[in-house]
Amino acid sequence: MENKTEEDKVSIIKVSALTCIDLDNSNLHQSAVLLKQACLDSGFFYVINHGISEELKDEAFEQSKKFFALPLEEKMKVLRNEKYRGYAPFHDSLLDPKNQFRGDYKEGFTIGFEGGKDGPHGDKPFHSPNIWPNSDVLPGWRETMEKYYQEALRVCKSIARIMALALDLDVDYFNTPEMLGNPIADMVLFHYEGKSDPSKGIYACGAHSDFGMMSLLATDGVMGLQICKDKDVMPQKWEYIPSLKGAYIVNLGDLLERWNNGYFKSTLHRVLGNGQDRYSIPFFLKPSHDCIIECLPNCQSENNLPKYIIYIQRSNVQRTSPHVTKQHMHT
Ligand code: OGA
Ligand code: NI
């Protein structure tokens, strides 16, 4: 159509419909069929009936907003430490340096798996006690976040059961002490600001795929998240993923992609700001520190050899697999 008005252009923004997985469905095999299709199609899906109360989620968002509303000086008192726990100011991360002119237009706060300094995992690279804002300044903040963290982890573990079935594995394949017993799981509070302009390299969050096993995302409902189902098709096609009330958005990460030999994809995504403030809380699940990520036994055959090198989180060591055909390593 010729002579489109600005409004017409806005109305043709593509919105993607995602599969919805009901975590209350006792027929796990049925859920696994749906989940498998979603993982093959876009690597993104919704989960509903997850058991996290709206009240707890709202409280986490309220507390998150209170933190970001503090004066910068107060926020800088909990500046991220060497283990990346704590506050990360605006523009701290640059996920897509080829296309981004400046770091992400977001600030964040990271809360990780609580492994005390003197505990059995204390000296491992991604374990550390968390750091918290002063409880006189934000009463109840830590308690809310700790509760929400435990709930998000519980939901991820129940998705992992369906994921195992979708990969034709035993339902509790991932839910063992070695795999998800002491997971490296980070919950990050985000506050996005400003209007993105891809033509100027300005993004709320640059294009990336998530590193871990899977991510469980809650947003405040402000549009912004986009996915690109096939990063190799030029020009890249971006589709918005709307938030669905009561649902979480889940996506697969690079570790899972490697684990299943590239069968399920870790999909490229980004966030565009529309000028409104936007808050989100992703929860990034990675397996336990000592878990060795090597091609799952039933994702390889004579005609489908392991494509990735074995990844050992423990020491960040890459061990060469007997049949490496492609190196694909995130650091
Ligand atoms: C991320 C991410 C999306 C969002 O932090 O990896 O993709 O909506 N976030 O905050
Ligand atoms: Ni992401």
Side-chain angles (χ1 to χ4, degrees):
M1 233 205 305
E2 299 292 331
N3 302 327
K4 277 200 192 92
T5 65
E6 276 307 305
E7 231 168 58
D8 287 334
K9 283 186 205 152
V10 171
S11 67
I12 55 169
I13 287 172
K14 185 140 178 19
V15 173
S16 199
L18 299 183
T19 301
C20 215
I21 308 289
D22 180 352
L23 294 184
D24 206 22
N25 182 356
S26 55
N27 188 341
L28 290 185
H29 286 276
Q30 194 178 49
S31 301
V33 171
L34 284 174
L35 188 138
K36 185 172 178 172
Q37 194 50 49
C39 292
L40 293 172
D41 177 40
S42 65
F44 274 72
F45 52 93
Y46 295 116
V47 292
I48 56 166
N49 292 327
H50 38 70
I52 301 184
S53 73
E54 280 291 297
E55 292 77 46
L56 179 60
K57 196 186 82 178
D58 290 348
E59 206 178 307
F61 273 89
E62 278 316 305
Q63 293 281 29
S64 165
K65 284 180 193 171
K66 279 188 191 159
F67 173 77
F68 291 119
L70 292 174
L72 184 60
E73 189 192 327
E74 191 64 39
K75 293 188 274 194
M76 291 304 270
K77 288 184 189 162
V78 283
L79 185 65
R80 56 172 163 59
N81 60 18
E82 74 292 351
K83 306 255 183 169
Y84 285 90
R85 308 289 170 97
Y87 176 63
F90 278 102
H91 311 301
D92 195 61
S93 73
L94 183 77
L95 293 167
D96 181 16
K98 268 213 298 237
N99 292 305
Q100 281 182 280
F101 165 69
R102 198 168 176 201
D104 292 349
Y105 281 64
K106 70 176 196 290
E107 52 182 343
F109 189 96
T110 300
I111 297 158
F113 192 75
E114 188 66 69
K117 247 202 223 100
D118 303 322
H121 305 281
D123 56 346
K124 292 178 177 165
F126 297 103
H127 286 267
S128 147
N130 281 311
I131 53 178
W132 301 102
N134 188 331
S135 61
D136 294 335
V137 178
L138 293 173
W141 203 88
R142 173 177 180 169
E143 290 72 18
T144 301
M145 296 310 173
E146 284 183 332
K147 203 162 151 198
Y148 187 83
Y149 183 103
Q150 289 307 329
E151 283 287 275
L153 181 56
R154 177 186 59 73
V155 173
C156 283
K157 286 184 178 177
S158 66
I159 300 168
R161 300 184 80 222
I162 305 172
M163 187 69 76
L165 290 180
L167 289 165
D168 294 324
L169 298 164
D170 183 73
V171 67
D172 281 319
Y173 186 88
F174 296 116
N175 285 306
T176 61
E178 309 80 60
M179 294 210 182
L180 293 179
N182 285 289
I184 304 170
D186 290 324
M187 159 173 158
V188 190
L189 316 174
F190 280 130
H191 169 218
Y192 296 93
E193 245 181 39
K195 193 164 164 53
S196 299
D197 185 348
S199 72
K200 294 201 174 84
I202 295 173
Y203 294 90
C205 173
H208 66 281
S209 59
D210 290 351
F211 170 74
M213 181 177 172
M214 69 170 96
S215 311
L216 179 78
L217 176 72
T219 82
D220 63 357
V222 175
M223 277 286 245
L225 179 65
Q226 295 187 319
I227 66 169
C228 172
K229 284 188 195 163
D230 191 342
K231 62 180 186 321
D232 299 322
V233 172
M234 294 294 162
Q236 286 179 335
K237 210 172 101 211
W238 291 91
E239 303 170 36
Y240 275 99
I241 300 294
S243 298
L244 189 68
K245 196 161 167 47
Y248 282 82
I249 297 166
V250 182
N251 64 289
L252 314 180
D254 301 347
L255 268 189
L256 193 75
E257 181 176 315
R258 300 169 71 92
W259 227 339
N260 67 46
N261 215 14
Y263 183 50
F264 291 163
K265 294 280 180 288
S266 172
T267 304
L268 200 64
H269 55 283
R270 67 185 188 186
V271 179
L272 295 191
N274 65 3
Q276 261 176 294
D277 279 18
R278 179 177 184 273
Y279 296 84
S280 73
I281 309 182
F283 185 90
F284 301 107
L285 181 71
K286 282 154 257 155
S288 305
H289 203 272
D290 295 334
C291 181
I292 295 172
I293 311 296
E294 62 184 314
C295 185
L296 293 166
N298 58 348
C299 295
Q300 51 181 299
S301 66
E302 242 175 68
N303 300 326
N304 182 26
L305 299 173
K307 296 185 181 70
Y308 304 100
I309 46 179
I310 297 171
Y311 180 55
I312 307 174
Q313 299 193 99
R314 182 168 49 228
S315 47
N316 259 343
V317 172
Q318 303 170 32
R319 193 155 27 98
T320 310
S321 144
H323 310 292
V324 176
T325 54
K326 178 180 166 194
Q327 295 225 348
H328 174 106
M329 189 61 209
H330 253 256
T331 48

